[in-house]
Amino acid sequence: VLTKRPINASLKTYLSDISLPRNVWFGITAENQACFDERLEGLVDIRAKVKFLSVEPMLGPIDLRAVMSKVSKVLDWVICGGENGNEKTIRPMKAEWVRELRDQCVSLNIPFFFKQWGKHDAQGMPVGKKQAGRVLDGKTWEQFPKGD
């Protein structure tokens, strides 16, 4: 389950009162820091085996560290990717945002999955999704949360 409105499924509704089946993972999507800060609260109270963050499309940097120091093990997985869609309105993702998020995940021991650059390459040039690919600093990052 992936949502932009986790608060609708958490504290004030039914999902905070039950444990989800082990095969149901629950995630929030956040494009930038403001979205992450706003949506994380709704994820905290969800009782799911795996809680994850999908940063796609990444439209700004995200700092996990401040929140992770306050909340015990909120995130089990982070997915990141660039924007696709209408050629005229597509926004590039900056490589330093992706690197910083990846480095935070490594230091916090959170599996990191880099899905794709989107239609811009690592230098911000519009080249198309296929040519831009999904390699970050010479490596394909496709880590997953540990299973049972």
Side-chain angles (χ1 to χ4, degrees):
V1 177
L2 179 63
T3 183
K4 287 184 179 182
R5 293 171 188 82
I7 200 71
N8 291 345
S10 67
L11 278 178
K12 300 174 184 167
T13 60
Y14 60 94
L15 288 183
S16 64
D17 296 330
I18 64 168
S19 291
L20 295 172
R22 296 180 71 73
N23 64 331
V24 176
W25 295 6
F26 196 92
I28 59 171
T29 184
E31 305 83 43
N32 56 35
Q33 189 71 44
C35 293
F36 175 67
D37 292 344
E38 175 187 327
R39 296 172 186 160
L40 182 67
E41 179 186 338
L43 185 61
V44 171
D45 294 315
I46 299 292
R47 289 192 249 165
K49 166 85 170 113
V50 172
K51 297 180 194 181
F52 66 97
L53 168 64
S54 176
V55 185
E56 189 176 17
M58 184 175 221
L59 302 178
I62 293 184
D63 187 351
L64 306 173
R65 291 169 294 215
V67 177
M68 295 304 285
S69 65
K70 295 176 188 174
V71 182
S72 64
K73 194 68 171 124
V74 174
L75 292 174
D76 300 299
W77 192 27
V78 172
I79 304 163
C80 178
E83 187 169 39
N84 290 304
N86 185 326
E87 296 290 333
K88 295 181 182 189
T89 60
I90 243 168
R91 297 157 287 185
M93 174 175 59
K94 293 188 177 181
E96 62 262 23
W97 299 341
V98 182
R99 287 185 184 107
E100 179 61 27
L101 184 60
R102 179 216 41 215
D103 293 348
Q104 290 177 67
C105 288
V106 168
S107 71
L108 294 166
N109 202 29
I110 299 171
F112 179 75
F113 189 100
F114 184 58
K115 197 169 172 185
Q116 45 126 358
W117 282 105
K119 291 195 177 177
H120 291 85
D121 65 14
Q123 289 74 42
M125 300 301 297
V127 296
K129 181 180 174 182
K130 188 172 184 166
Q131 186 175 345
R134 55 187 300 252
V135 174
L136 173 62
D137 296 334
K139 180 176 178 181
T140 302
W141 289 83
E142 48 188 9
Q143 300 173 334
F144 290 90
K146 290 183 172 67
D148 290 336

Short mmCIF file of all heavy atoms in Angstrom, two decimals, residues 6-17 41-42 45-46:
data_model
loop_
_atom_site.label_atom_id
_atom_site.label_comp_id
_atom_site.label_asym_id
_atom_site.label_seq_id
_atom_site.Cartn_x
_atom_site.Cartn_y
_atom_site.Cartn_z
N PRO A 6 -1.24 9.26 4.45
CA PRO A 6 -1.19 8.20 5.46
C PRO A 6 -1.99 8.52 6.72
O PRO A 6 -2.44 7.61 7.41
CB PRO A 6 0.30 8.09 5.78
CG PRO A 6 0.84 9.44 5.47
CD PRO A 6 0.05 9.90 4.28
N ILE A 7 -2.19 9.79 7.00
CA ILE A 7 -2.94 10.15 8.20
C ILE A 7 -4.37 9.63 8.10
O ILE A 7 -4.99 9.31 9.10
CB ILE A 7 -2.90 11.68 8.45
CG1 ILE A 7 -3.24 12.00 9.90
CG2 ILE A 7 -3.76 12.44 7.49
CD1 ILE A 7 -2.19 11.60 10.89
N ASN A 8 -4.89 9.48 6.88
CA ASN A 8 -6.23 8.94 6.69
C ASN A 8 -6.32 7.47 7.11
O ASN A 8 -7.40 6.96 7.38
CB ASN A 8 -6.68 9.07 5.24
CG ASN A 8 -6.91 10.50 4.84
OD1 ASN A 8 -7.01 11.38 5.68
ND2 ASN A 8 -6.97 10.75 3.55
N ALA A 9 -5.19 6.79 7.16
CA ALA A 9 -5.19 5.36 7.48
C ALA A 9 -4.60 5.08 8.85
O ALA A 9 -4.45 3.93 9.23
CB ALA A 9 -4.42 4.59 6.43
N SER A 10 -4.24 6.08 9.61
CA SER A 10 -3.52 5.81 10.85
C SER A 10 -4.28 6.20 12.10
O SER A 10 -5.33 5.65 12.37
CB SER A 10 -2.16 6.49 10.81
OG SER A 10 -2.31 7.89 10.83
N LEU A 11 -3.76 7.12 12.85
CA LEU A 11 -4.28 7.49 14.16
C LEU A 11 -5.79 7.60 14.23
O LEU A 11 -6.41 7.06 15.13
CB LEU A 11 -3.71 8.86 14.57
CG LEU A 11 -2.34 8.90 15.17
CD1 LEU A 11 -1.96 10.35 15.46
CD2 LEU A 11 -2.26 8.09 16.42
N LYS A 12 -6.35 8.33 13.31
CA LYS A 12 -7.76 8.66 13.39
C LYS A 12 -8.66 7.63 12.72
O LYS A 12 -9.86 7.82 12.65
CB LYS A 12 -7.99 10.04 12.80
CG LYS A 12 -7.19 11.09 13.55
CD LYS A 12 -7.27 12.43 12.91
CE LYS A 12 -6.36 13.37 13.69
NZ LYS A 12 -6.09 14.59 13.06
N THR A 13 -8.09 6.57 12.22
CA THR A 13 -8.90 5.56 11.56
C THR A 13 -8.50 4.16 11.99
O THR A 13 -7.76 3.98 12.94
CB THR A 13 -8.79 5.68 10.03
OG1 THR A 13 -7.43 5.49 9.66
CG2 THR A 13 -9.25 7.03 9.53
N TYR A 14 -8.94 3.20 11.28
CA TYR A 14 -8.85 1.81 11.69
C TYR A 14 -7.46 1.18 11.68
O TYR A 14 -7.20 0.26 12.43
CB TYR A 14 -9.80 0.95 10.84
CG TYR A 14 -9.51 1.00 9.37
CD1 TYR A 14 -8.71 0.05 8.77
CD2 TYR A 14 -10.04 2.01 8.58
CE1 TYR A 14 -8.44 0.08 7.43
CE2 TYR A 14 -9.76 2.05 7.22
CZ TYR A 14 -8.97 1.09 6.66
OH TYR A 14 -8.70 1.14 5.32
N LEU A 15 -6.54 1.60 10.86
CA LEU A 15 -5.27 0.88 10.74
C LEU A 15 -4.35 1.02 11.95
O LEU A 15 -3.46 0.22 12.14
CB LEU A 15 -4.52 1.30 9.48
CG LEU A 15 -5.10 0.79 8.17
CD1 LEU A 15 -4.23 1.21 7.00
CD2 LEU A 15 -5.27 -0.71 8.17
N SER A 16 -4.56 2.03 12.79
CA SER A 16 -3.72 2.15 13.97
C SER A 16 -4.15 1.16 15.05
O SER A 16 -3.41 0.90 16.00
CB SER A 16 -3.75 3.57 14.52
OG SER A 16 -5.05 3.91 14.95
N ASP A 17 -5.34 0.60 14.92
CA ASP A 17 -5.87 -0.33 15.93
C ASP A 17 -5.64 -1.79 15.59
O ASP A 17 -5.93 -2.65 16.41
CB ASP A 17 -7.37 -0.09 16.11
CG ASP A 17 -7.65 1.29 16.67
OD1 ASP A 17 -6.80 1.82 17.40
OD2 ASP A 17 -8.72 1.84 16.34
N GLU A 41 4.17 11.43 10.00
CA GLU A 41 3.34 11.21 11.18
C GLU A 41 2.31 10.11 10.97
O GLU A 41 2.07 9.29 11.84
CB GLU A 41 2.63 12.51 11.57
CG GLU A 41 1.74 12.35 12.78
CD GLU A 41 0.93 13.59 13.07
OE1 GLU A 41 1.30 14.70 12.63
OE2 GLU A 41 -0.11 13.46 13.74
N GLY A 42 1.72 10.09 9.79
CA GLY A 42 0.72 9.08 9.50
C GLY A 42 1.29 7.68 9.39
O GLY A 42 0.59 6.69 9.57
N ASP A 45 2.22 5.31 13.24
CA ASP A 45 1.29 4.48 14.00
C ASP A 45 0.74 3.28 13.24
O ASP A 45 0.01 2.47 13.80
CB ASP A 45 0.12 5.33 14.50
CG ASP A 45 0.60 6.34 15.52
OD1 ASP A 45 1.38 5.96 16.40
OD2 ASP A 45 0.21 7.52 15.41
N ILE A 46 1.08 3.15 11.98
CA ILE A 46 0.62 1.99 11.20
C ILE A 46 1.40 0.76 11.67
O ILE A 46 2.61 0.80 11.79
CB ILE A 46 0.86 2.21 9.70
CG1 ILE A 46 0.09 3.43 9.20
CG2 ILE A 46 0.51 0.98 8.88
CD1 ILE A 46 -1.40 3.30 9.19
#
